[in-house]
Amino acid sequence: MGEANPCVLVIDDDPEFRDSVVRLLRTIGLPARQFSSVLEFLKADPPDAPTCMVLDVRMPGRSGLELQRDLVAAKRQVPIIFITAHADVQMTVQAMKGGAIEFLTKPFRDQDLLDAIEAGLARDRARRENDSALATLRERFDMLSSREREVMLGVVAGRLNKQIANDIGVTESTVKVHRVNLMRKMKARSLPELSRMADRLNRSLQQPQNF
């Protein structure tokens, strides 16, 4: 995956506020896309780039908190910075429990918003890099034959070649051949590295799909 320019999504029903955020971001060279409502945002294609969202809490139609709940339910991950003119403790707690980066109450300092946006973009950039590396691992694992996968499971479980051969009903020399082949296909330079790959693949089955 090549390096993509980051993008900030600004969702607020106040056009003056949206314009002010876009102008602020322009001063540091960050592009932004504006949306006047949650519905308008949902109709648009998500950017294929590191992304974060500046989101108003209260808007006509669906609220920012409802959008956050929808994204969490759909297992779509995007860092969110909430903006509101009127906050209360319950609202703030709900937003932060949902994974928000920051909850800013108007008026706020421009630098506070920029700091939150930078943190959000950094988080999403790391997430995208992790997803790319994991996709590469899955591609390598998919190249293994069913027998090579069996041998890999035995190897990372700490079984000896003789034990693996007995487990799956083949000769020890056959296990050695499969072991060499799977290490080459997985591009694993050592047993500890192969074990880390297997652990990462296993954990990925429990992870949400991303934005």
Side-chain angles (χ1 to χ4, degrees):
M1 181 174 60
E3 184 67 24
N5 292 325
C7 183
V8 180
L9 308 175
V10 184
I11 308 175
D12 195 296
D13 62 313
D14 182 347
E16 291 185 6
F17 174 77
R18 295 198 309 270
D19 288 342
S20 69
V21 172
V22 170
R23 286 195 301 270
L24 176 64
L25 294 175
R26 194 177 296 139
T27 65
I28 60 171
L30 278 178
R33 292 169 59 182
Q34 299 186 46
F35 304 94
S36 61
S37 67
V38 169
L39 180 59
E40 184 181 0
F41 162 74
L42 292 174
K43 289 179 179 178
D45 293 329
D48 183 18
T51 305
C52 78
M53 182 182 296
V54 178
L55 179 60
D56 191 12
V57 174
R58 291 191 174 95
M59 290 177 285
R62 296 189 68 75
S63 72
L65 290 173
E66 287 174 317
L67 173 59
Q68 182 189 40
R69 286 197 298 269
D70 291 345
L71 292 174
V72 170
K75 297 181 180 179
R76 295 171 61 184
Q77 298 182 69
V78 55
I80 297 175
I81 298 126
F82 276 106
I83 304 294
T84 186
H86 306 285
D88 57 48
V89 173
Q90 182 178 358
M91 182 188 299
T92 305
V93 169
Q94 181 179 342
M96 301 310 285
K97 279 187 175 180
I101 291 282
E102 185 59 272
F103 196 106
L104 299 176
T105 303
K106 299 176 184 176
F108 50 81
R109 294 190 316 126
D110 287 350
Q111 192 59 50
D112 289 340
L113 177 60
L114 292 176
D115 289 347
I117 288 172
E118 290 293 348
L121 291 174
R123 177 187 292 186
D124 202 49
R125 190 176 292 108
R127 189 268 302 172
R128 285 170 57 84
E129 291 173 355
N130 179 71
D131 287 352
S132 178
L134 183 57
T136 298
L137 273 184
R138 286 171 175 161
E139 289 173 2
R140 293 175 188 173
F141 184 75
D142 289 342
M143 291 173 59
L144 301 182
S145 68
S146 58
R147 188 65 83 187
E148 287 166 347
R149 293 182 187 184
E150 286 182 308
V151 173
M152 178 175 168
L153 289 175
V155 168
V156 299
R159 305 283 284 170
L160 301 175
N161 289 341
K162 182 185 299 186
Q163 294 172 315
I164 297 172
N166 184 64
D167 292 340
I168 63 179
V170 298
T171 65
E172 186 176 352
S173 60
T174 298
V175 170
K176 291 179 180 178
V177 171
H178 286 317
R179 184 165 179 163
V180 169
N181 288 338
L182 75 88
M183 293 290 283
R184 174 179 54 81
K185 290 181 181 179
M186 292 299 296
K187 297 185 178 180
R189 292 163 294 186
S190 65
L191 177 55
E193 185 176 15
L194 182 69
S195 296
R196 289 192 295 271
M197 290 177 177
D199 181 60
R200 191 171 185 183
L201 286 167
N202 184 54
R203 285 186 286 109
S204 75
L205 299 176
Q206 319 257 322
Q207 297 298 312
Q209 297 298 310
N210 295 316
F211 186 85

